[in-house]
Amino acid sequence: MLRRFTRSVIIFIILFHSYVYASSASLNDPLPSWHDHAIKKAIIDFVQTVTDTTNKDYVPPEDRIATIDNDGTLWVEQPIYTQMIFIMDRIKALAHTHPEWQHLEPYQSILHHQAEHLNAANLEHLFAVTSQGLSTKEYISLIKKWLATAENPHFKKHYTELIYQPMLEVIHYLHEHHFMVYIVSGGGQDFIRAFSPTIYHIPLERIIGSSSQTQYLYQHHAAHLIKIPKPLLICNNEGKPEAIHLFIGKKPIIAFGNSDGDRQMLEWTQSGKGKHLMLLVHHDDGKREYAYDIHSKIGTFSKSLFREAKKQHWHIISMKNDWKVIFPFER
Amino acid sequence: MLRRFTRSVIIFIILFHSYVYASSASLNDPLPSWHDHAIKKAIIDFVQTVTDTTNKDYVPPEDRIATIDNDGTLWVEQPIYTQMIFIMDRIKALAHTHPEWQHLEPYQSILHHQAEHLNAANLEHLFAVTSQGLSTKEYISLIKKWLATAENPHFKKHYTELIYQPMLEVIHYLHEHHFMVYIVSGGGQDFIRAFSPTIYHIPLERIIGSSSQTQYLYQHHAAHLIKIPKPLLICNNEGKPEAIHLFIGKKPIIAFGNSDGDRQMLEWTQSGKGKHLMLLVHHDDGKREYAYDIHSKIGTFSKSLFREAKKQHWHIISMKNDWKVIFPFER
């Protein structure tokens, strides 16, 4: 228990340090973890242009919308989405009350550590099983507890330490320039909300993600929203511009993604009237993180997306060549 | 045309004037259109308490969530919701391309000015007929055009002039104290977005309302969201706390409503941890506006809501006794 506490304190100090570092660094260089290549210059030029009241491309603060994908754009998504690991850990934690799961798919695969057999339909089902009947408050509290202790087996780090330092600097830089920075993720909205305010400094009302329906319950002067296993929003592909309209009602002027699921969000951003900037993180650093694109099941960056990016002049960020460090703990 | 332009300029001057008036007045009295009775005092006490860093009930700005209903709370809803008049006017405008409507319900009733025969199912159908196939941009543009010219037959005013001056002052007062003020309405989100930034000074991303699904369309480098006739959110009754969780993820600390449809939003607000304030506008001024409650089909304020309000110490605002003026143009 004491070790765990010490560990938490150390993580807090590291994160706080990285935040303060980003703050002070920004006086000189707003993006110190980025190499001084074309993309860093493009981001800084863009922000300077749209915030310069004398520039013809000036954008008032109320229209400075930034949308950023989460998995693979703000934190690690390999070998499998963090939320999936949470869900599988929930299945394991609940298994003693469900002896039948030992011989029933997809539970059997999870309990015997053969998660590679899972498919998208399994995931939706598992999400429902592990969340239904819980209140939104209970669910978020479970996620917080899990994030405080679970470790990524490859990096031997907490999942909330596996966030990209260069992207933290981008968020901070955009906030400093009065952008409204939203996360727009195919992942679960409540899942991201469990850590986003402390880790990314992005408040709950700016988290857009996939979500299930809830049912309002009012008993004995207490009000709850109970999660029910019916999808409400699937915030991926076409679902991203649809959710952006629903939550924001304005087009982003800058958008970051990393995979085919972000394509429509970038098109939506590009279709806006004024100046805009579209960027894709390319995972090409097998040494410091992972190298994957067209053949990956998670975070597919298809040939067709490469072609569209090139044609539309979307920037492709090379993690290997554009980022000096990947994670805050490297510094 | 020139008359219409002159009219628009006059309206702009009136609204601008009311905004400036609210701004300057707030130096002394933040709510000049409210009589100095208990409710005005309760609102001011509440805002002063939660924004006082030395008070045990202090609430940091990121948690200062205010939610306000629209129809009947911010503007007139009698004898029928403004959005319904818009929809009926759309049916009339489209009627020449649908000769069959002359003998087909519910169109026939609308075309022959017998709208009192309409029911909720009709309305949903009519909403679908008048919006499907339009892009969100086209739809909002149609609403803006309509609002610029349509007149309320009773008051002989534009609908956007029929907003409650005392509530404008509340919005302004809350904004001045760094509250995030959201509209949470059973009415259509896109409909409210068409006028809310200019009339209420509430930005698009803070408008929560009922909405239909959209379909993303990308052709020839242009991106559109096309309205499809499937409801996505019905933001009334239980739908209000559900939507508040979806859009904000935090409980409001102050909430205003006026009818049974706002009950769950007020309960949700009340169930929060810290200090909170719940208020209901009671339409009891048949002379200056309308007098209605338990028997009204629009904006029902049932006996049961009166009982709950009393039991839970929710404030009931008397339009007759608490408000010096109702509309900006009265001053």
mmCIF file of all heavy atoms in Angstrom, chain B residues 4 12 17 34 58 82 97 108 128 139 143 167 178 180 217 236 266 271 274:
data_model
loop_
_atom_site.group_PDB
_atom_site.id
_atom_site.type_symbol
_atom_site.label_atom_id
_atom_site.label_comp_id
_atom_site.label_asym_id
_atom_site.label_seq_id
_atom_site.Cartn_x
_atom_site.Cartn_y
_atom_site.Cartn_z
ATOM 1 N N ARG B 4 -37.986 46.409 -44.343
ATOM 2 C CA ARG B 4 -37.519 45.235 -43.611
ATOM 3 C C ARG B 4 -36.108 45.490 -43.060
ATOM 4 O O ARG B 4 -35.781 45.146 -41.942
ATOM 5 C CB ARG B 4 -37.514 44.021 -44.551
ATOM 6 C CG ARG B 4 -37.291 42.727 -43.830
ATOM 7 C CD ARG B 4 -37.441 41.553 -44.767
ATOM 8 N NE ARG B 4 -38.813 41.349 -45.202
ATOM 9 C CZ ARG B 4 -39.173 40.513 -46.182
ATOM 10 N NH1 ARG B 4 -38.271 39.819 -46.830
ATOM 11 N NH2 ARG B 4 -40.438 40.369 -46.499
ATOM 12 N N PHE B 12 -31.839 45.373 -34.041
ATOM 13 C CA PHE B 12 -30.447 45.229 -33.624
ATOM 14 C C PHE B 12 -30.112 46.269 -32.553
ATOM 15 O O PHE B 12 -29.517 45.965 -31.533
ATOM 16 C CB PHE B 12 -29.517 45.372 -34.835
ATOM 17 C CG PHE B 12 -28.067 45.357 -34.447
ATOM 18 C CD1 PHE B 12 -27.440 44.145 -34.166
ATOM 19 C CD2 PHE B 12 -27.344 46.530 -34.317
ATOM 20 C CE1 PHE B 12 -26.111 44.114 -33.779
ATOM 21 C CE2 PHE B 12 -26.013 46.514 -33.931
ATOM 22 C CZ PHE B 12 -25.393 45.299 -33.660
ATOM 23 N N HIS B 17 -28.719 47.589 -27.311
ATOM 24 C CA HIS B 17 -28.992 48.478 -26.208
ATOM 25 C C HIS B 17 -29.259 47.675 -24.926
ATOM 26 O O HIS B 17 -28.713 47.976 -23.876
ATOM 27 C CB HIS B 17 -30.218 49.312 -26.562
ATOM 28 C CG HIS B 17 -30.255 50.605 -25.823
ATOM 29 N ND1 HIS B 17 -29.553 51.694 -26.275
ATOM 30 C CD2 HIS B 17 -30.861 50.975 -24.668
ATOM 31 C CE1 HIS B 17 -29.741 52.691 -25.418
ATOM 32 N NE2 HIS B 17 -30.532 52.283 -24.444
ATOM 33 N N TRP B 34 -35.475 42.707 -12.057
ATOM 34 C CA TRP B 34 -36.101 41.876 -11.023
ATOM 35 C C TRP B 34 -36.496 42.753 -9.840
ATOM 36 O O TRP B 34 -35.716 43.606 -9.410
ATOM 37 C CB TRP B 34 -35.121 40.807 -10.528
ATOM 38 C CG TRP B 34 -34.769 39.736 -11.526
ATOM 39 C CD1 TRP B 34 -34.040 39.892 -12.663
ATOM 40 C CD2 TRP B 34 -35.132 38.346 -11.451
ATOM 41 N NE1 TRP B 34 -33.922 38.689 -13.316
ATOM 42 C CE2 TRP B 34 -34.583 37.719 -12.588
ATOM 43 C CE3 TRP B 34 -35.856 37.580 -10.537
ATOM 44 C CZ2 TRP B 34 -34.736 36.358 -12.840
ATOM 45 C CZ3 TRP B 34 -36.009 36.223 -10.785
ATOM 46 C CH2 TRP B 34 -35.462 35.620 -11.928
ATOM 47 N N TYR B 58 -17.378 27.539 -1.880
ATOM 48 C CA TYR B 58 -16.751 28.026 -3.114
ATOM 49 C C TYR B 58 -16.722 26.922 -4.178
ATOM 50 O O TYR B 58 -16.446 25.758 -3.872
ATOM 51 C CB TYR B 58 -15.315 28.484 -2.824
ATOM 52 C CG TYR B 58 -14.532 28.811 -4.070
ATOM 53 C CD1 TYR B 58 -14.776 29.982 -4.784
ATOM 54 C CD2 TYR B 58 -13.545 27.938 -4.551
ATOM 55 C CE1 TYR B 58 -14.068 30.281 -5.939
ATOM 56 C CE2 TYR B 58 -12.831 28.229 -5.709
ATOM 57 C CZ TYR B 58 -13.097 29.402 -6.397
ATOM 58 O OH TYR B 58 -12.397 29.688 -7.543
ATOM 59 N N THR B 82 -42.493 28.043 -30.749
ATOM 60 C CA THR B 82 -42.048 28.775 -31.940
ATOM 61 C C THR B 82 -41.567 27.825 -33.037
ATOM 62 O O THR B 82 -41.839 28.032 -34.219
ATOM 63 C CB THR B 82 -40.917 29.755 -31.550
ATOM 64 O OG1 THR B 82 -41.411 30.594 -30.505
ATOM 65 C CG2 THR B 82 -40.492 30.623 -32.708
ATOM 66 N N THR B 97 -45.702 22.261 -54.054
ATOM 67 C CA THR B 97 -45.070 21.106 -54.709
ATOM 68 C C THR B 97 -45.724 19.795 -54.252
ATOM 69 O O THR B 97 -45.307 18.724 -54.658
ATOM 70 C CB THR B 97 -43.561 21.056 -54.395
ATOM 71 O OG1 THR B 97 -43.405 20.945 -52.971
ATOM 72 C CG2 THR B 97 -42.848 22.308 -54.879
ATOM 73 N N GLN B 108 -53.417 18.954 -44.152
ATOM 74 C CA GLN B 108 -54.681 19.648 -44.358
ATOM 75 C C GLN B 108 -54.993 20.624 -43.213
ATOM 76 O O GLN B 108 -55.334 21.786 -43.435
ATOM 77 C CB GLN B 108 -55.765 18.572 -44.451
ATOM 78 C CG GLN B 108 -57.075 19.030 -44.995
ATOM 79 C CD GLN B 108 -58.064 17.865 -45.082
ATOM 80 O OE1 GLN B 108 -57.710 16.711 -44.835
ATOM 81 N NE2 GLN B 108 -59.303 18.161 -45.418
ATOM 82 N N ALA B 128 -39.712 15.667 -39.490
ATOM 83 C CA ALA B 128 -38.966 14.827 -40.428
ATOM 84 C C ALA B 128 -39.178 15.305 -41.864
ATOM 85 O O ALA B 128 -38.215 15.503 -42.622
ATOM 86 C CB ALA B 128 -39.395 13.370 -40.277
ATOM 87 N N TYR B 139 -30.375 23.802 -43.208
ATOM 88 C CA TYR B 139 -31.483 23.843 -42.258
ATOM 89 C C TYR B 139 -31.369 25.072 -41.347
ATOM 90 O O TYR B 139 -32.337 25.825 -41.168
ATOM 91 C CB TYR B 139 -31.506 22.548 -41.437
ATOM 92 C CG TYR B 139 -32.736 22.401 -40.584
ATOM 93 C CD1 TYR B 139 -33.998 22.251 -41.155
ATOM 94 C CD2 TYR B 139 -32.645 22.408 -39.196
ATOM 95 C CE1 TYR B 139 -35.131 22.118 -40.376
ATOM 96 C CE2 TYR B 139 -33.782 22.271 -38.404
ATOM 97 C CZ TYR B 139 -35.023 22.131 -39.001
ATOM 98 O OH TYR B 139 -36.138 22.005 -38.225
ATOM 99 N N ILE B 143 -33.849 28.512 -40.968
ATOM 100 C CA ILE B 143 -34.388 29.007 -39.686
ATOM 101 C C ILE B 143 -34.021 30.478 -39.500
ATOM 102 O O ILE B 143 -34.862 31.299 -39.123
ATOM 103 C CB ILE B 143 -33.853 28.168 -38.508
ATOM 104 C CG1 ILE B 143 -34.295 26.706 -38.656
ATOM 105 C CG2 ILE B 143 -34.339 28.736 -37.162
ATOM 106 C CD1 ILE B 143 -33.487 25.735 -37.811
ATOM 107 N N MET B 167 -34.285 37.155 -17.604
ATOM 108 C CA MET B 167 -33.434 35.980 -17.802
ATOM 109 C C MET B 167 -32.168 36.335 -18.578
ATOM 110 O O MET B 167 -31.104 35.762 -18.341
ATOM 111 C CB MET B 167 -34.218 34.874 -18.511
ATOM 112 C CG MET B 167 -35.287 34.223 -17.644
ATOM 113 S SD MET B 167 -34.644 33.560 -16.060
ATOM 114 C CE MET B 167 -33.564 32.272 -16.650
ATOM 115 N N HIS B 178 -18.107 33.869 -14.557
ATOM 116 C CA HIS B 178 -17.400 32.707 -15.130
ATOM 117 C C HIS B 178 -18.162 31.397 -14.996
ATOM 118 O O HIS B 178 -17.554 30.350 -14.812
ATOM 119 C CB HIS B 178 -15.998 32.596 -14.530
ATOM 120 C CG HIS B 178 -15.242 33.882 -14.625
ATOM 121 N ND1 HIS B 178 -14.812 34.391 -15.830
ATOM 122 C CD2 HIS B 178 -14.897 34.800 -13.682
ATOM 123 C CE1 HIS B 178 -14.214 35.555 -15.623
ATOM 124 N NE2 HIS B 178 -14.245 35.832 -14.332
ATOM 125 N N MET B 180 -20.346 28.493 -16.840
ATOM 126 C CA MET B 180 -20.606 27.978 -18.181
ATOM 127 C C MET B 180 -22.115 27.804 -18.269
ATOM 128 O O MET B 180 -22.691 26.957 -17.584
ATOM 129 C CB MET B 180 -19.916 26.636 -18.376
ATOM 130 C CG MET B 180 -18.418 26.781 -18.563
ATOM 131 S SD MET B 180 -17.631 25.159 -18.757
ATOM 132 C CE MET B 180 -17.018 24.925 -17.092
ATOM 133 N N LEU B 217 -21.678 13.128 -45.732
ATOM 134 C CA LEU B 217 -21.589 13.022 -47.188
ATOM 135 C C LEU B 217 -20.354 13.782 -47.650
ATOM 136 O O LEU B 217 -20.191 14.959 -47.318
ATOM 137 C CB LEU B 217 -22.855 13.653 -47.792
ATOM 138 C CG LEU B 217 -23.138 13.384 -49.254
ATOM 139 C CD1 LEU B 217 -23.631 11.949 -49.446
ATOM 140 C CD2 LEU B 217 -24.218 14.354 -49.746
ATOM 141 N N ASN B 236 -35.930 15.919 -23.139
ATOM 142 C CA ASN B 236 -36.996 16.363 -22.250
ATOM 143 C C ASN B 236 -37.128 15.344 -21.115
ATOM 144 O O ASN B 236 -36.715 14.199 -21.255
ATOM 145 C CB ASN B 236 -38.309 16.448 -23.040
ATOM 146 C CG ASN B 236 -39.171 17.587 -22.547
ATOM 147 O OD1 ASN B 236 -38.713 18.464 -21.798
ATOM 148 N ND2 ASN B 236 -40.423 17.587 -22.942
ATOM 149 N N LEU B 266 -33.878 19.474 -12.641
ATOM 150 C CA LEU B 266 -33.752 20.114 -11.332
ATOM 151 C C LEU B 266 -33.384 19.100 -10.253
ATOM 152 O O LEU B 266 -32.585 19.393 -9.360
ATOM 153 C CB LEU B 266 -35.034 20.881 -10.980
ATOM 154 C CG LEU B 266 -35.027 22.362 -11.421
ATOM 155 C CD1 LEU B 266 -34.870 22.518 -12.926
ATOM 156 C CD2 LEU B 266 -36.246 23.107 -10.940
ATOM 157 N N SER B 271 -29.200 16.861 -6.705
ATOM 158 C CA SER B 271 -28.495 15.689 -6.190
ATOM 159 C C SER B 271 -26.980 15.878 -6.142
ATOM 160 O O SER B 271 -26.255 14.988 -5.703
ATOM 161 C CB SER B 271 -28.844 14.455 -7.032
ATOM 162 O OG SER B 271 -28.209 14.532 -8.299
ATOM 163 N N GLY B 274 -22.224 19.894 -3.660
ATOM 164 C CA GLY B 274 -22.084 21.219 -3.034
ATOM 165 C C GLY B 274 -23.376 21.996 -2.990
ATOM 166 O O GLY B 274 -24.479 21.441 -2.973
#
